[in-house]
Amino acid sequence: MARVLLHPAAKPLLHVLCLLPLAWLVYAAALDRLGANPAEALIRSLGDWTLRLLCLTLAVTPLRLALGLPALARFRRMLGVYTFGYAALHLLCYAGFDMGLDWGEIARDVVKRPFILVGMCGFVLLLLLAATSFNRAIRWLGARRWQQLHRSVYLIAGLAILHFFWMRAGKNDFAEVALYAAILAALLLARLLRYLRGRFKVRSLSL
Amino acid sequence: LEGMRSAVAGAVTMEKPTEYKDATGYNNFYEFGTDKADPARNAHTLKTRPWTVEVEGLVHKPRRFDIDELLKLSPQEERIYRLRCVEGWSMVIPWVGYSLAELIRRVQPQGSAKYVEFVTLADKAVMPGVGSRILDWPYTEGLRLDEAMHPLTLLAFGMYGELLPNQNGAPVRIVVPWKYGFKSAKSIVKIRFTEKEPATAWNKAARNEYGFYSNVNPDVDHPRWSQATERRIGEDGLFAKKRKTLLFNGYEAQVGQLYAGMDLRKNY
């Protein structure tokens, strides 16, 4: 398994996989195959893929530890940057196709709709993480500060779920929201357990 | 189902009708699922024959109508109405039916009748969405009696010259073109005349978001989004600019007097 993960083709393959949903959406949009309300379909689909990629990104570390596959770590940054990419497209499509790039209207919408505000906050945080995702940023910030900053990915996950939840609240329809919330909660819980176990070990050692 | 051209004022808009595939493939009919494509996928299980509509409550002549009897009760007319969904999209649909007032006159409401309640089918066996807790089933809607009597309020049996497809509320539904779409109950099984304002499905689910009146009004926002503009389905695809929403969905000349003196912000 580790050999497959370290294969020179592994990263290019993951790039292709991450770009597939986007390629499909562009193709469907160009051929008018997005259904009766193409703008809505495009915006929602990009939102869905942002959430899916966020789940995948957060799954890398727990999987790496559970399966004993250190090689998995080399895909984490890439998945994170793709998460940001889909979020940015999601936001751009909202601004362009839903609001007609009318900045005044967008500003009013952010204030009017809490779920838009929550989504925007999540995006700003995600932008910070993407902007500090390269190696030199770690050196500039110092590993400790860099890690503290990048822990805000948990906050981003919470904001993303709240954004999705509020969007669906008007329709009382929470089945999908619950699914993503459960996945993210499980991934967070895996980290929490590991952290607590680590502390317990440290304490027993110092005794 | 053929309908003659309607002579009712405002009943035939000149706007371009929405494509049939969009009007029958992009629907809100939660009994068949919450996704817009679900009704078209799932509603084939609905059996529209035999079908009866019970008319009861504060009327002198309560009775049960067979669907075939209802179809022949009054001449069928074609009405081309704008449809505005509370979610911010709109369509133009050629319906076939006749004014609900034709039916109401035949059952003779009593003086105490002030409202009309519509009860729709909620059959778990054929409607997968009825198992969910999204709404309190059956879906009910209501109108004030004068709204129900307005000639534009349509008892519809068909669209695009044919009988209603199941996903559009077969075999009989109402269409109230100046209100948000959810006010127009589909697959009706009971019409009840009452003195008190009836509880309505979306109002029960979220009182401060969906009012009893729910008239289309660009100046009264939904608590969580603006109602100032709408997207016309099928119009120039992805890059279409949204259009401005009109008061009473553009039927102000015909229905404005129903709300004279009322505070539309309070009675949203």
Side-chain angles (χ1 to χ4, degrees):
Chain A
M1 187 66 192
R3 286 237 323 264
V4 176
L5 292 175
L6 289 168
H7 194 278
K11 270 197 176 177
L13 182 68
L14 191 58
H15 275 293
V16 170
L17 287 177
C18 288
L19 286 168
L20 269 181
L22 179 63
W24 163 253
L25 285 173
V26 171
Y27 165 82
L31 283 143
D32 196 16
R33 291 217 184 141
L34 286 171
N37 195 343
E40 183 191 74
L42 192 59
I43 295 165
R44 293 200 178 169
S45 199
L46 287 166
D48 287 344
W49 282 106
T50 306
L51 260 177
R52 285 167 200 155
L53 280 162
L54 183 64
C55 291
L56 278 176
T57 311
L58 284 170
V60 169
T61 301
L63 279 179
R64 171 173 65 88
L65 294 167
L67 303 174
L69 283 171
L72 268 175
R74 58 198 290 261
F75 305 116
R76 190 173 66 164
R77 168 163 54 190
M78 195 169 131
L79 286 169
V81 174
Y82 272 110
T83 306
F84 166 74
Y86 276 89
L89 288 171
H90 174 59
L91 175 60
L92 272 177
C93 284
Y94 153 78
F97 299 132
D98 213 27
M99 309 309 288
L101 285 181
D102 181 337
W103 303 110
E105 202 55 47
I106 292 172
R108 273 190 293 280
D109 202 37
V110 171
V111 183
K112 172 96 198 153
R113 300 200 277 182
F115 94 87
I116 300 275
L117 179 65
V118 165
M120 289 284 187
C121 292
F123 179 76
V124 170
L125 281 174
L126 207 48
L127 180 68
L128 277 179
L129 301 202
T132 56
S133 63
F134 47 95
N135 290 339
R136 219 184 299 165
I138 305 179
R139 249 173 290 141
W140 284 341
L141 285 166
R144 199 185 157 78
R145 246 190 302 167
W146 185 88
Q147 194 179 30
Q148 277 171 348
L149 174 65
H150 280 247
R151 282 211 176 107
S152 62
V153 70
Y154 301 113
L155 182 57
I156 292 170
L159 290 170
I161 288 295
L162 185 59
H163 173 65
F164 195 24
F165 172 85
W166 245 334
M167 195 272 277
R168 288 286 169 86
K171 290 288 180 172
N172 271 358
D173 185 11
F174 301 118
E176 258 182 284
V177 183
L179 177 69
Y180 285 106
I183 293 171
L184 288 170
L187 293 172
L188 186 57
L189 194 69
R191 286 178 159 80
L192 203 65
L193 285 176
R194 188 163 55 88
Y195 170 75
L196 291 174
R197 221 179 303 142
R199 274 183 56 141
F200 181 72
K201 262 190 210 142
V202 170
R203 214 176 308 149
S204 32
L205 280 178
S206 61
L207 275 175
Chain B
L1 184 70
E2 291 287 308
M4 58 177 191
R5 203 181 167 78
S6 178
V8 171
V12 181
T13 172
M14 290 296 142
E15 286 162 271
K16 184 171 162 272
T18 301
E19 273 189 55
Y20 178 84
K21 73 165 167 53
D22 289 342
T24 56
Y26 188 78
N27 307 105
N28 278 322
F29 197 165
Y30 275 25
E31 284 82 342
F32 293 107
T34 53
D35 190 90
K36 296 280 194 301
D38 283 343
R41 230 184 340 247
N42 298 331
H44 60 91
T45 50
L46 179 68
K47 287 211 170 33
T48 55
R49 288 289 189 294
W51 191 280
T52 55
V53 178
E54 186 93 44
V55 183
E56 58 176 44
L58 304 172
V59 289
H60 291 296
K61 293 184 165 173
R63 56 173 289 205
R64 178 191 294 237
F65 290 90
D66 187 78
I67 188 67
D68 291 311
E69 207 181 337
L70 274 182
L71 274 160
K72 283 179 264 168
L73 188 90
S74 182
Q76 298 282 345
E77 299 175 14
E78 180 165 76
R79 310 261 183 111
I80 307 178
Y81 285 167
R82 287 177 291 275
L83 168 81
R84 170 64 155 80
C85 179
V86 72
E87 297 166 348
W89 52 268
S90 63
M91 295 185 182
V92 175
I93 299 182
W95 302 103
V96 186
Y98 50 77
S99 295
L100 175 65
E102 297 291 343
L103 173 67
I104 295 178
R105 271 187 216 110
R106 282 167 176 80
V107 295
Q108 299 176 12
Q110 297 171 14
S112 53
K114 296 280 184 294
Y115 294 92
V116 187
E117 181 185 14
F118 305 92
V119 182
T120 70
L121 186 72
D123 183 353
K124 255 191 193 159
V126 297
M127 296 170 144
V130 172
S132 77
R133 274 172 296 173
I134 290 173
L135 289 170
D136 191 4
W137 313 104
Y139 190 97
T140 56
E141 255 308 333
L143 295 170
R144 224 168 50 192
L145 186 58
D146 58 342
E147 296 176 323
M149 288 293 290
H150 193 282
L152 281 176
T153 300
L154 186 70
L155 194 64
F157 303 88
M159 61 194 270
Y160 295 84
E162 59 176 60
L163 287 171
L164 283 173
N166 287 354
Q167 64 266 34
N168 294 87
V172 57
R173 64 173 293 170
I174 57 157
V175 181
V176 193
W178 70 93
K179 292 176 180 283
Y180 294 118
F182 69 88
K183 289 296 293 180
S184 296
K186 302 185 182 95
S187 303
I188 293 169
V189 293
K190 200 177 279 182
I191 300 176
R192 190 184 289 140
F193 290 76
T194 64
E195 190 170 358
K196 279 211 196 99
E197 187 180 289
T200 60
W202 279 108
N203 185 249
K204 276 194 281 182
R207 201 160 292 280
N208 59 334
E209 302 195 11
Y210 309 100
F212 176 79
Y213 286 95
S214 286
N215 292 313
V216 176
N217 190 336
D219 304 322
V220 178
D221 286 343
H222 181 277
R224 285 183 294 109
W225 62 79
S226 162
Q227 291 291 27
T229 60
E230 65 199 49
R231 172 172 287 119
R232 182 64 56 83
I233 296 297
E235 196 173 55
D236 301 330
L238 206 47
F239 294 94
K241 238 180 107 61
K242 287 204 204 172
R243 43 172 79 214
K244 288 210 176 327
T245 290
L246 304 172
L247 181 61
F248 298 116
N249 203 19
Y251 297 97
E252 189 184 2
Q254 289 82 33
V255 303
Q257 85 283 353
L258 291 173
Y259 309 100
M262 263 176 77
D263 182 350
L264 295 174
R265 280 183 184 280
K266 245 198 209 147
N267 298 288
Y268 58 87

